[in-house]
Amino acid sequence: MRIGLTYDLRDDYLAEGYSEIETAEFDGEDTIDALANAIQALGHQPDRIGNIRHLVKRVAQGERWDMVFNIAEGLHGYGREAQVPALLEAYVIPYTFADPLVASLTLHKALCKRVVRSFGLPTPEFVLIETEKDIEKVALPFPVFAKPVAEGTGKGVTPASKITSQRQLKQVCRDLLTEYRQPALIETFLPGREFTVAIIGTGAEATVLGMMEIVLRADAEAEAYSYRNKKLYERLVQYRRVRQGELRESLEALSLSVWRCLKCRDAGRVDLRLDANGKPNFLEVNPLAGLHPEHSDLPIIATLEGVAYTEVIGRILESVCRRCHLPFHQATQPLSNPLVR
């Protein structure tokens, strides 16, 4: 197959004057190299397209692909992760990961939690702060946890995110509203262990690839998988594989229920945390998970489970082919290090 690659290259946006934090979710050349190498190793022809502006030009010129491997995050609005999928749907081009509806819903963490809760699945109580006037309406018991409603990669999550007083709540909400120019999500703080679960596949065929516990080291920012902790994870975070047992079974059951009720596709991650009774709760879902072979959570989980990066990419392509009724084949030789060819 001829497979197009759509992505937001971080260096492009930095060159245009966007800041480090504005481009934090975008990808580097090494991620694109790894994806292209894996796709080629699987017997397909990768074609680097780039961001949505490049995609618009090429489809307007009449170019088409058998499939597009889309990891473009977009830059503006709640629908930013839906922009490339919507354009590809308009031209009837199969693509990886969430459709426009799911991409928009899951980016807005409050709306996503409402849907998850409507299916009877556990998630912390929450309030959405859209203006400073809403702060007075928060009736949740302290401590609570605050973060921007539609950001990823830990943006806006700091040690101040765990809030223990009304005074702190006002200050943190004001800071988030001002800096991120979007509502702040306030949730009941859960004191238990935190996990992220990697899922491969779609609907009834979706399975758990693996999961890991996120353990913060002594020098890490406390009690939050923050932007800084993620950025410096090799020094500040320990990732522990979750072994077979009752806990793993309960994490697996909740994450698959969330994945299926939200209609996520192909691959992604579900973030969970235990409450005071040791019961898993849904925090958020990432249907467009990072795919750097060494630094992104989903490939890290695959490595902990002994699954090669190229095999992960192959299983994503297979999921797309199954749901789009495309013929699927792949080479049989896995690429041990996709960054080196």
Side-chain angles (χ1 to χ4, degrees), residues 4-297:
L5 275 167
T6 48
Y7 50 85
D8 287 300
L9 195 62
R10 191 175 193 185
D11 286 347
D12 290 346
Y13 291 89
L14 291 173
E16 293 178 18
Y18 290 98
S19 68
E20 290 283 336
I21 195 69
E22 286 174 311
T23 61
E25 294 185 78
F26 295 165
D27 291 289
E29 283 281 7
D30 51 355
T31 299
I32 312 308
D33 288 345
L35 280 175
N37 291 343
I39 288 169
Q40 191 167 19
L42 291 163
H44 307 291
Q45 177 188 353
D47 180 15
R48 303 182 191 216
I49 299 170
N51 63 29
I52 190 169
R53 288 173 287 182
H54 296 109
L55 177 63
V56 167
K57 289 179 182 177
R58 292 184 64 173
V59 294
Q61 291 168 351
E63 285 201 65
R64 300 292 185 268
W65 301 266
D66 299 307
M67 179 195 302
V68 167
F69 200 109
N70 172 49
I71 58 168
E73 298 275 354
L75 192 59
H76 300 294
Y78 295 132
R80 61 182 182 267
E81 293 183 356
Q83 293 167 351
V84 166
L87 182 60
L88 293 170
E89 287 202 352
Y91 285 87
V92 199
I93 299 172
Y95 59 91
T96 57
F97 308 126
D99 67 19
L101 173 63
V102 175
S104 299
L105 171 67
T106 53
L107 185 62
H108 194 293
K109 304 179 197 303
L111 290 178
C112 183
K113 282 166 65 72
R114 289 190 176 108
V115 172
V116 168
R117 190 169 59 184
S118 75
F119 280 83
L121 301 174
T123 189
E125 293 294 324
F126 66 98
V127 177
L128 189 63
I129 305 296
E130 299 190 69
T131 69
E132 288 193 25
K133 292 181 179 178
D134 294 333
I135 300 173
E136 300 297 333
K137 301 175 184 176
V138 177
L140 299 174
F142 292 110
V144 294
F145 196 86
K147 56 188 175 184
V149 76
E151 297 293 347
T153 320
K155 290 167 65 176
V157 176
T158 71
S161 295
K162 183 184 177 183
I163 296 170
T164 58
S165 70
Q166 189 67 25
R167 179 180 178 183
Q168 187 187 2
L169 177 67
K170 290 180 180 178
Q171 186 59 55
V172 171
C173 287
R174 286 169 180 161
D175 290 346
L176 289 175
L177 291 170
T178 300
E179 183 171 354
Y180 290 94
R181 291 169 290 177
Q182 61 183 268
L185 179 67
I186 310 299
E187 296 178 290
T188 298
F189 177 79
L190 301 184
R193 299 156 63 189
E194 186 165 338
F195 303 87
T196 186
V197 181
I199 296 179
I200 295 278
T202 305
E205 296 181 340
T207 59
V208 169
L209 173 66
M211 60 185 73
M212 63 184 184
E213 181 178 1
I214 297 158
V215 181
L216 303 180
R217 299 183 188 274
D219 294 338
E221 293 180 335
E223 300 195 271
Y225 195 27
S226 64
Y227 176 73
R228 180 174 181 271
N229 287 343
K230 290 186 177 185
K231 186 176 182 180
L232 304 175
Y233 78 94
E234 290 168 304
R235 179 165 62 87
L236 301 178
V237 182
Q238 179 184 8
Y239 296 127
R240 294 178 181 167
R241 179 177 179 267
V242 181
R243 301 184 184 280
Q244 297 295 333
E246 186 176 345
L247 174 61
R248 180 167 174 130
E249 290 175 2
S250 63
L251 295 169
E252 181 171 320
L254 177 56
S255 57
L256 281 175
S257 295
V258 168
W259 188 257
R260 288 167 178 154
C261 83
L262 292 173
K263 305 298 183 188
C264 298
R265 309 189 306 198
D266 303 331
R269 288 185 9 256
V270 179
D271 296 340
L272 308 172
R273 194 171 176 113
L274 305 185
D275 63 17
N277 298 315
K279 181 181 178 181
N281 276 242
F282 166 73
L283 295 180
E284 53 189 79
V285 62
N286 190 340
L288 193 61
L291 287 175
H292 188 284
E294 297 171 354
H295 304 315
S296 296
D297 285 354

